[in-house]
Amino acid sequence: MRHLIDPSDLSLEELNEIIDLACDIIADRQKYAEVCKGKKLATLFYEPSTRTRLSFTAAMMELGGNVLGFSDANSSSVSKGETVADTTRVVNNFADIIAMRHPVEGAPLVSALNSSTPVINAGDGSHAHPTQTLTDLLTIKREIGRFENLTVGFCGDLKFGRTVHSLIKALSKFKNINIVLIAPDELKLPSYVKHEVCDKLGLPYEEVKSLEEVIDKLDVLYMTRVQKERFLDEEEYDRVKDCFVLTADKLKNAKPEMRILHPLPRVNEIAVDVDSDPRAAYFRQVENGKFVRMALMLKLLEWADKPEKHKELLREDVVRGEYRCSNPRCISNTEACTESLFRPSADGNGVRCVYCESRPAK
C-alpha cells in the first residue's frame, strides 16, 4: 500500500506530479467533478482543526465522493480506550482512504502500519504535516512560479512547528534553496532537522534572531504561530509568545515580489494591516490546500492499484524493542500496545525513534 506520512515519502517526480495535477484541477474543475464517485474518505481528527478538516472534506466532495469520520475523538470509541491500530482496522471496512490528525506524534504511522487503505498524515503533534507542505508548495508555484533559486525565511516557532519541519524537508529536493531561520533560542529549529535534512542534504541555512536584518533578501517569508498547546511549561510560553510580530512597517524593505505564507490560524504574529498587502498570500494559500488535497487523494487512490508504486513503511535496519523513546508525546509512550521502533540516525550518531525522530531515553 502507499501512504503519505512524511514529506520524504514522495520523490521529486511525485511531488511535481501532484502539483501539476492540482494546477490542472484549478484550470478545469468540471473535468474532475465525478472522478471519485462511489469513493469514501474517512477523516479521523483527534484534535481540533478548521482548515485542514474542511479542506479534506471539500476536496473529496468536489471530486464527487463522500466523507465520514469524526472531528472530536471524545465522540468516538477512542473515549472507551480504543487504540489507533484498532480504529484503523475498523474504518478500513467503511472507507477507501483515511486522513488522520492526531496530537500524539507517530499516530498516523501506526495507522498506516495497520491499514489496507491509503493513510494521509493530516498532522501529528509537532512532528510533521505533509499536506500543508503540499499546500505551501502549490502556493509558491502559483505565486512565484518556481521552486528553485529561492531564499525562504521561517519565522517564529521553529521548534514545535510541524509545518516548518515538513516544508524544509520538501524544499531540500529542489536546487539552489537557501533557508533563513528566524527564532529565539527557545524556539530554534530542532538539531535533528538541521543535521539530518540541512547538513546531510546540503541545504544551506543561517540562524538569526531579527526579522529586520534579513527581510530584504527573502523570496518567501513563512510566518508561524507560537503554539501554546505544544508547551509543557506555560511560563516558557509566556516568555516567547510575542517574540516576532510582522507589521506593514516591517515590510518596507522587503522585495515587491516576496510572498508571505502562514499555515494559520494566526494569533498576533501578523498584524491585520498586512492583510491588504499584495504580498500576503496566506488566505489564497487556504484555497490551494483544497486543490492539492484533491490531487493527492487522486494519486494515492491511483497508486493503490499499482504494485510498483507501493513502498515499505519500515526500513530493513529497524531496531525493535531495544530502546524507549524520550519523547512523552510519542505514541510509543502513550499507547502501551505500540511496539518500540528505532532506526539508525542519518548522522551516524546512535538511533532515532521511527515514530517521532526523538532520541532514546537515557
Side-chain angles (χ1 to χ4, degrees):
M1 186 49 59
R2 190 63 188 277
H3 311 278
L4 179 59
I5 306 302
D6 187 90
S8 60
D9 295 339
L10 297 171
S11 68
L12 178 58
E13 179 184 4
E14 290 168 342
L15 277 175
N16 284 322
E17 277 185 51
I18 293 168
I19 296 299
D20 289 345
L21 178 55
C23 290
D24 195 56
I25 291 170
I26 293 166
D28 188 357
R29 294 166 67 172
Q30 190 58 38
K31 173 182 173 183
Y32 295 90
E34 297 292 330
V35 293
C36 281
K37 186 175 182 179
K39 297 291 185 181
K40 294 183 285 295
L41 164 70
T43 53
L44 309 184
F45 278 60
Y46 290 71
E47 69 174 357
S49 169
T50 302
R51 278 150 299 279
T52 305
R53 184 174 61 84
L54 294 181
S55 179
F56 269 109
T57 299
M60 181 52 89
M61 292 176 69
E62 291 197 22
L63 292 171
N66 296 301
V67 183
L68 50 87
F70 55 80
S71 59
D72 180 0
N74 290 326
S75 65
S76 74
S77 290
V78 175
S79 62
K80 303 174 185 177
E82 186 172 65
T83 65
V84 166
D86 284 358
T87 296
T88 300
R89 293 188 186 104
V90 170
V91 173
N92 279 169
N93 294 289
F94 310 130
D96 300 286
I97 190 167
I98 293 170
M100 175 179 285
R101 167 165 287 188
H102 206 292
V104 173
E105 291 155 29
L109 175 57
V110 170
S111 178
L113 289 168
N114 292 277
S115 184
S116 58
T117 59
V119 174
I120 301 171
N121 180 2
D124 61 330
S126 59
H127 180 230
H129 197 348
T131 64
Q132 180 63 50
T133 298
L134 291 172
T135 300
D136 301 337
L137 290 175
L138 179 58
T139 303
I140 291 170
K141 177 74 170 181
R142 297 187 73 193
E143 296 284 336
I144 298 179
R146 67 182 191 278
F147 292 131
E148 300 178 347
N149 305 311
L150 293 173
T151 297
V152 182
F154 292 91
C155 182
D157 181 1
L158 312 189
K159 179 180 180 180
F160 297 111
R162 59 191 173 195
T163 60
V164 171
H165 305 168
S166 292
L167 183 53
I168 289 175
K169 286 182 180 179
L171 288 173
S172 69
K173 299 177 185 294
F174 299 98
K175 295 179 181 178
N176 299 324
I177 299 292
N178 294 289
I179 300 297
V180 182
L181 305 171
I182 311 156
D185 288 338
E186 296 92 336
L187 295 175
K188 291 174 69 173
L189 190 72
S191 59
Y192 78 84
V193 180
K194 286 185 282 189
H195 293 320
E196 299 193 8
V197 180
C198 300
D199 295 338
K200 179 186 175 186
L201 301 177
L203 184 64
Y205 69 92
E206 63 174 306
E207 295 182 281
V208 300
K209 296 181 181 179
S210 167
L211 176 58
E212 288 84 348
E213 66 182 285
V214 294
I215 198 168
D216 61 324
K217 63 182 181 181
L218 301 180
D219 299 300
V220 177
L221 172 59
Y222 198 95
M223 296 294 297
T224 63
R225 170 177 66 94
V226 178
Q227 303 171 83
K228 184 176 182 178
E229 65 270 24
R230 307 295 179 207
F231 282 78
L232 299 177
D233 183 345
E234 189 164 344
E235 289 186 3
E236 183 180 2
Y237 166 75
D238 288 336
R239 284 196 301 273
V240 299
K241 64 181 180 180
D242 298 321
C243 57
F244 294 104
V245 177
L246 181 65
T247 63
D249 185 63
K250 291 180 181 179
L251 288 171
K252 289 179 178 178
N253 293 325
K255 297 177 181 178
E257 65 274 17
M258 185 195 79
R259 290 296 182 266
I260 305 160
L261 275 61
H262 192 305
L264 302 177
R266 68 170 165 187
V267 183
N268 68 333
E269 62 277 0
I270 300 180
V272 293
D273 63 4
V274 175
D275 294 351
S276 58
D277 192 301
R279 291 169 289 194
Y282 33 88
F283 290 118
R284 299 190 292 274
Q285 189 178 350
V286 174
E287 186 178 27
N288 287 331
K290 178 185 66 177
F291 296 125
V292 86
R293 290 179 176 106
M294 292 170 74
L296 172 63
M297 288 191 289
L298 285 176
K299 282 297 179 182
L300 286 178
L301 290 168
E302 173 192 329
W303 294 342
D305 295 327
K306 294 182 176 180
E308 70 274 14
K309 278 291 188 179
H310 294 186
K311 287 186 178 181
E312 293 295 328
L313 287 167
L314 300 179
R315 295 177 357 189
E316 292 182 358
D317 56 358
V318 67
V319 179
R320 299 175 181 272
E322 187 174 331
Y323 305 95
R324 182 174 62 83
C325 183
S326 61
N327 178 8
R329 292 184 291 263
C330 178
I331 194 165
S332 65
N333 286 324
T334 60
E335 288 195 353
C337 61
T338 300
E339 184 180 19
S340 174
L341 300 173
F342 283 78
R343 59 172 174 77
S345 178
D347 61 7
N349 183 20
V351 296
R352 290 194 180 277
C353 177
V354 166
Y355 304 109
C356 70
E357 302 184 73
S358 296
R359 294 287 189 187
K362 294 181 180 179

